[in-house]
Amino acid sequence: MKFLSTRGKAPALGFSQALVAGLASDGGLYVPEVLPRIRVSAKGKVPELRELGHSILGKFAAGDPLARRIPGICERAWDFPVPLKIMPEAPDGMLELFHGPTAAFKDFAARFLAECLAAIPSSRKRLVLVATSGDTGGAVASAFHGRPGVEVAILYPRGRISPRQEKQLTAWGGNVQAFAVQGSFDDCQNLVKSAFVDERLGSGYELLSANSINIGRILPQAIYYAWASLEFRARTGRVPGFVVPTGNLGNALAAIWAKRMGFPIREVALALNANRPIADFLSSGEWKAASAVATIANAMDVGNPSNMERLRALYPSHRELISEVRAESFGDGQIRDAIREAYTRWSVPLCPHTGAAYALARRAGGSDWIVVATAHPAKFERVVEPLIGREIPVPPQLSQILEKQGSSREIPVSLNALRTALIPS
Ligand SMILES: *Cc1c(COP(=O)(O)O)cnc(C)c1O
């Protein structure tokens, strides 16, 4: 399998090379040359999630030195449960992706990427650079912390993430450094992009991207959609639609890819917060990025989602896109209402991102929606607890990090400042 740039002017790469490259040299993003059709029989036992990972990701790694290591990589990366709960009414489901070490779905892909990179030799010191709107940085820090030969630098928008998210970025020490950037997530993302083409940084390190511009962040996410669709069908006899809380569009894109691979997925709906460029694009056909506005679903505060480029590459025709994908945007008030309602109806506390997805499922009506729960509500206790009127117990993996001391360096939105901090003079 080869991976091609969305802009068509960079060399095609194999699986390992695409993971190491991150962004393509023409500024585009790597996508698989084909999405293999996976044959799934409606009868028979649903394969276990990791097993499905071996067979699907094995196809993407075909011909690459990493191919034979994929089964071990999946086993080590996904050593936590991924429950699909089916609610008796409707029926609808909830796919809980927050049982990994940092209590958000980002663990799933960050741990896969870290395992893959550890299996790809390098003669140079590596620097993983990551911009985070809240949860990516923690997942990447956790996945790479303590690994030899690699440094991690996390850039996050100062004052725009929850205190518990911040702790998860800043409490690691060792090979992980956190930078509080005086700007928005889009500013952080732009800084990372310019760092990648900076010769001085590039001569000091082999630079690696752990944002969802990296194909290694998208592919593993397709596995839980594939598995959950099969599992939902086996348990209910029906074909589900997924509602995905969406920011940078990495997670939702993985759902759309899983649908293209032939898994039983009726449709994919993108739940947005007040940052609405994707919803506006679907209704107008015209792409207009905007600057990000701060919301209570902060991991979705993205005004210029980098994976738009992959989505548009997949759907050259706007008409086809809107026949398969829908998007709706919800303000903070609507998200709060959804969290209250879900607690009354389902007796589960939702994080604000998942709250937006719940709101979309309710507005769309019908049944067989799987609400994708992207983070544990205890990470956003200041928003969620007042709405549901009780305390949310903190999962053990989260409380371990919260007990540690955090430290970060504040920097302006400036490549020079970042470079000075990263290259010891
Ligand atoms: C990152 C994140 C999202 C958005 O996912 P994208 O892949 O960026 O669209 C949604 N919810 C939570 C909790 C997140 O951490």
Side-chain angles (χ1 to χ4, degrees):
M1 168 83 73
K2 289 281 179 218
F3 293 86
L4 312 177
S5 166
T6 46
R7 300 193 187 168
K9 296 199 179 70
L13 300 181
F15 185 77
S16 319
Q17 292 171 313
L19 295 193
V20 171
L23 201 64
S25 58
D26 58 0
L29 304 183
Y30 278 105
V31 291
E33 61 181 341
V34 286
L35 288 167
R37 291 289 295 191
I38 311 276
R39 306 225 310 157
V40 276
S41 137
K43 302 188 194 75
K45 206 167 140 274
V46 174
E48 206 248 328
L49 180 104
R50 285 158 208 84
E51 231 178 280
L52 203 55
H54 307 168
S55 55
I56 301 174
L57 295 167
K59 289 201 194 305
F60 287 103
D64 190 84
L66 230 50
R68 64 186 177 83
R69 308 190 64 166
I70 292 292
I73 287 171
C74 295
E75 297 297 327
R76 286 191 299 278
W78 307 331
D79 59 352
F80 49 87
V82 183
L84 172 66
K85 293 195 172 144
I86 296 184
M87 309 301 174
E89 301 161 64
D92 285 319
M94 179 159 128
L95 179 62
E96 291 187 359
L97 300 177
F98 53 68
H99 296 283
T102 68
F105 80 93
K106 306 275 189 345
D107 285 323
F108 211 86
R111 291 171 62 82
F112 176 81
L113 185 63
E115 289 291 343
C116 286
L117 290 171
I120 303 172
S122 167
S123 55
R124 297 165 67 203
K125 187 153 186 87
R126 285 177 162 158
L127 173 64
V128 176
L129 258 180
V130 58
T132 184
S133 57
D135 290 320
T136 293
V140 168
S142 157
F144 285 89
H145 182 240
R147 288 187 186 262
V150 52
E151 298 286 320
V152 179
I154 300 167
L155 279 66
Y156 67 96
R158 186 182 64 112
R160 298 211 193 176
I161 66 176
S162 88
R164 285 183 177 170
Q165 282 178 318
E166 184 164 23
K167 201 44 136 356
Q168 287 189 315
L169 305 180
T170 57
W172 297 94
N175 61 336
V176 178
Q177 280 190 77
F179 295 95
V181 176
Q182 297 157 346
S184 68
F185 168 69
D186 293 301
D187 293 325
C188 296
Q189 188 153 264
N190 288 334
L191 254 184
V192 166
K193 281 190 187 155
S194 43
F196 272 96
V197 293
D198 184 63
E199 282 179 11
R200 281 176 44 210
L201 273 173
S203 66
Y205 294 100
E206 178 180 65
L207 290 173
L208 299 172
S209 155
N211 276 107
S212 58
I213 57 172
N214 194 312
I215 186 75
R217 280 282 314 280
I218 313 281
L219 292 174
Q221 295 172 166
I223 309 307
Y224 47 71
Y225 291 109
W227 173 79
S229 68
L230 296 173
E231 181 73 13
F232 190 88
R233 185 177 66 182
R235 277 156 64 183
T236 65
R238 305 157 81 114
V239 172
F242 284 100
V243 196
V244 187
T246 296
N248 221 2
L249 200 56
N251 199 12
L253 186 77
I256 295 168
W257 283 359
K259 177 169 160 55
R260 280 280 176 104
M261 285 187 256
F263 289 96
I265 297 171
R266 183 187 74 234
E267 64 179 302
V268 178
L270 318 182
L272 305 165
N273 61 20
N275 291 282
R276 28 176 324 122
I278 298 173
D280 293 341
F281 172 63
L282 290 184
S283 52
S284 73
E286 223 182 303
W287 174 242
K288 267 205 213 114
S291 21
V293 299
T295 76
I296 56 170
N298 66 294
M300 298 165 18
D301 292 351
V302 184
N304 190 10
S306 50
N307 284 296
M308 250 337 265
E309 187 153 337
R310 287 193 172 108
L311 186 72
R312 298 174 76 185
L314 189 64
Y315 291 98
S317 144
H318 189 71
R319 191 180 306 164
E320 197 189 337
L321 170 63
I322 57 179
S323 73
E324 293 189 10
V325 178
R326 65 166 111 182
E328 294 204 39
S329 145
F330 298 90
D332 283 354
Q334 291 169 307
I335 292 175
R336 286 199 170 89
D337 289 344
I339 294 172
R340 276 192 212 97
E341 188 196 307
Y343 193 65
T344 312
R345 220 169 127 247
W346 286 358
S347 312
V348 287
L350 303 181
C351 86
H353 316 81
T354 311
Y358 178 90
L360 196 161
R362 291 296 276 170
R363 188 185 286 173
S367 64
D368 310 312
W369 285 111
I370 297 180
V371 169
V372 176
T374 46
H376 195 290
K379 286 180 91 162
F380 305 91
E381 82 290 359
R382 295 190 186 179
V383 175
V384 183
E385 286 177 354
L387 296 172
I388 65 170
R390 73 164 175 93
E391 226 176 280
I392 302 167
V394 179
Q397 75 273 32
L398 195 54
S399 51
Q400 266 178 23
I401 305 175
L402 298 179
E403 281 159 19
K404 296 190 188 150
Q405 188 69 34
S407 87
S408 68
R409 266 167 90 158
E410 192 168 323
I411 59 166
V413 185
S414 136
L415 179 60
N416 207 10
L418 181 65
R419 199 198 280 128
T420 312
L422 289 175
I423 303 181
S425 51

